[in-house]
Amino acid sequence: MGKIPIGISTCLLGENVRYNGGHALDRFLRDTLGKYVEYVPVCPEVECGFGIPRETFRLMGDPKQPRLVISLTGVDHTDRMEAWARKRVDELQNDDLCGFIFKSDSPSSGMERVKVYDDKGVPRKIGVGVFARVFMEHFPLTPVEEDGRLNDPLLRENFIERIFTYRRYREVMEEKKDVGHFVEFHTRHKLLLMAHSPKHLKQMGNLVAHTKQLSIKEFITQYEKLLMEAMSLKPSTTKHANVLHHIMGYFKKDLSAGEKQELLEVVDEYRKGLIPLIVPVTLMNHYVRKYDEAYLKEQVYLNPHPLELQLRNHV
Ligand code: SF4
């Protein structure tokens, strides 16, 4: 897999594009995740023609349709920013983005809980930045996150798992849009989907089983929607423990009594929060190799993203 194209608010990469000429560098995003993704930077305020430095913006009015105004003067730039944003998302269509990382709290780039001021100047954290809203409306299935939320290990792992999954899905789409490729993709992702949403896994299984009743276009539309909906649901410790027990079922006949006991204990310790997910998963991978278990060897769940990111060391 080559580098994954991901959109990002430009200031998070350390570029001096903020209103005060500063940046909001996130070293994990630039230096660590940056080894695996190709960033497509977007700074709405600079690209829309406002200079550096510039006056600050704020959202005002109806939280559902707030106006983007200059904080000090109240001059309204909503229409200008929305027109630019619509043009920019059209251009981004060509970049095949598998995700977008937004700068939190920004009236242009913030994904959620951006301050919206009422006519008395009282803020409520219920808004969405103008560009972020246009982007999410245009690409409803594309995984999105904010820099601040990515400090949470669970949200970070979930987001990165989603972008890697979306990329693998896109690769299947690029190769050949035939049902056989989707069935293979679905089979490899079964355990991963089980960890995110057993309900979606069941619905997707039904869909894959009835491909003959749909055109390939209808199938793709429904499958992609279910896939990205499922992946947006966070796995819980209980769901992971269920998947791990399910994996153990494949070794039932191979494991000695001592090995079985050890595996059960490790999964239980994970379930109780005493050890991170990486421990039982590493042990499972050891048995997959030892017993050359063909179905499990192909399961993305056991290796969903590069080990170097250490995402499962903290969940
Ligand atoms: S938050 Fe958005 S608009 Fe503000 S500097 Fe960063 S990229 Fe530009």
Side-chain angles (χ1 to χ4, degrees):
M1 188 187 282
K3 283 194 163 190
I4 305 174
I6 299 289
I8 190 167
S9 297
T10 308
C11 55
L12 293 174
L13 294 177
E15 299 293 322
N16 293 320
V17 290
R18 297 196 74 198
Y19 69 96
N20 58 1
H23 59 74
L25 174 64
D26 185 308
R27 289 185 192 280
F28 171 77
L29 296 178
R30 187 190 66 179
D31 302 335
T32 307
L33 188 60
K35 289 182 191 142
Y36 305 96
V37 305
E38 189 74 55
Y39 285 123
V40 178
V42 180
C43 177
E45 292 174 16
V46 170
E47 292 182 35
C48 186
F50 300 99
I52 310 168
R54 57 187 172 274
E55 292 180 280
T56 57
F57 288 95
R58 60 166 55 169
L59 295 177
M60 276 201 74
D62 177 358
K64 285 189 190 125
Q65 283 186 314
R67 310 298 296 171
L68 180 72
V69 303
I70 301 279
S71 308
L72 262 182
T73 60
V75 175
D76 190 328
H77 288 291
T78 317
D79 295 344
R80 175 174 166 184
M81 179 61 89
E82 279 185 351
W84 170 83
R86 278 194 285 273
K87 201 166 137 275
R88 190 70 174 98
V89 293
D90 274 345
E91 289 166 9
L92 289 172
Q93 194 83 44
N94 300 324
D95 288 296
D96 275 337
L97 297 182
C98 292
F100 202 108
I101 302 169
F102 292 107
K103 170 74 186 78
S104 54
D105 302 327
S106 157
S108 306
S109 301
M111 186 186 95
E112 58 179 36
R113 296 191 315 276
V114 178
K115 283 181 191 161
V116 181
Y117 291 80
D118 65 18
D119 49 12
K120 295 193 183 78
V122 179
R124 283 201 294 158
K125 295 188 92 177
I126 49 174
V128 178
V130 176
F131 171 68
R133 176 171 46 79
V134 173
F135 181 93
M136 291 190 285
E137 282 168 4
H138 194 86
F139 301 107
L141 299 180
T142 302
V144 291
E145 257 308 346
E146 287 191 331
D147 58 321
R149 283 167 51 92
L150 286 172
N151 290 325
D152 177 320
L154 273 177
L155 295 177
R156 179 184 285 195
E157 204 237 348
N158 189 40
F159 176 69
I160 294 174
E161 213 162 74
R162 284 157 72 199
I163 61 175
F164 272 84
T165 301
Y166 207 26
R167 175 52 179 246
R168 285 188 296 273
Y169 176 78
R170 288 274 178 83
E171 283 182 347
V172 173
M173 292 276 288
E174 280 160 23
E175 271 174 33
K176 227 185 215 178
K177 289 180 191 169
D178 74 34
V179 173
H181 280 77
F182 284 100
V183 172
E184 195 191 322
F185 173 91
H186 181 69
T187 305
R188 290 177 57 220
H189 287 78
K190 273 186 182 173
L191 297 185
L192 188 69
L193 289 164
M194 191 188 281
H196 283 263
S197 171
K199 184 177 141 214
H200 282 80
L201 174 62
K202 201 170 164 201
Q203 288 176 332
M204 293 164 83
N206 278 336
L207 187 65
V208 170
H210 294 94
T211 47
K212 286 194 182 126
Q213 292 158 21
L214 300 166
S215 69
I216 186 78
K217 198 171 163 218
E218 284 169 331
F219 172 77
I220 288 171
T221 307
Q222 290 187 34
Y223 188 88
E224 185 172 338
K225 185 165 179 290
L226 285 170
L227 173 69
M228 297 319 290
E229 261 177 29
M231 292 303 297
S232 69
L233 299 170
K234 285 196 295 292
S236 62
T237 309
T238 308
K239 282 191 269 186
H240 276 304
N242 285 343
V243 175
L244 293 165
H245 281 130
H246 186 83
I247 292 173
M248 273 186 68
Y250 284 84
F251 304 123
K252 247 191 331 228
K253 293 185 192 128
D254 302 309
L255 297 174
S256 68
E259 286 173 332
K260 244 183 239 171
Q261 187 56 33
E262 186 196 20
L263 262 183
L264 283 171
E265 279 172 17
V266 167
V267 174
D268 201 42
E269 283 168 9
Y270 160 71
R271 201 178 46 75
K272 288 177 180 156
L274 302 175
I275 54 173
L277 181 60
I278 189 69
V279 179
V281 167
T282 303
L283 203 49
M284 296 295 173
N285 269 317
H286 164 73
Y287 287 119
V288 170
R289 282 192 297 273
K290 183 173 174 185
Y291 297 118
D292 199 25
E293 176 43 62
Y295 173 76
L296 293 179
K297 262 200 306 199
E298 296 299 319
Q299 284 303 306
V300 171
Y301 177 80
L302 290 167
N303 292 293
H305 33 59
L307 263 186
E308 293 75 12
L309 289 173
Q310 301 185 6
L311 299 171
R312 285 177 163 181
N313 298 29
H314 308 287
V315 296

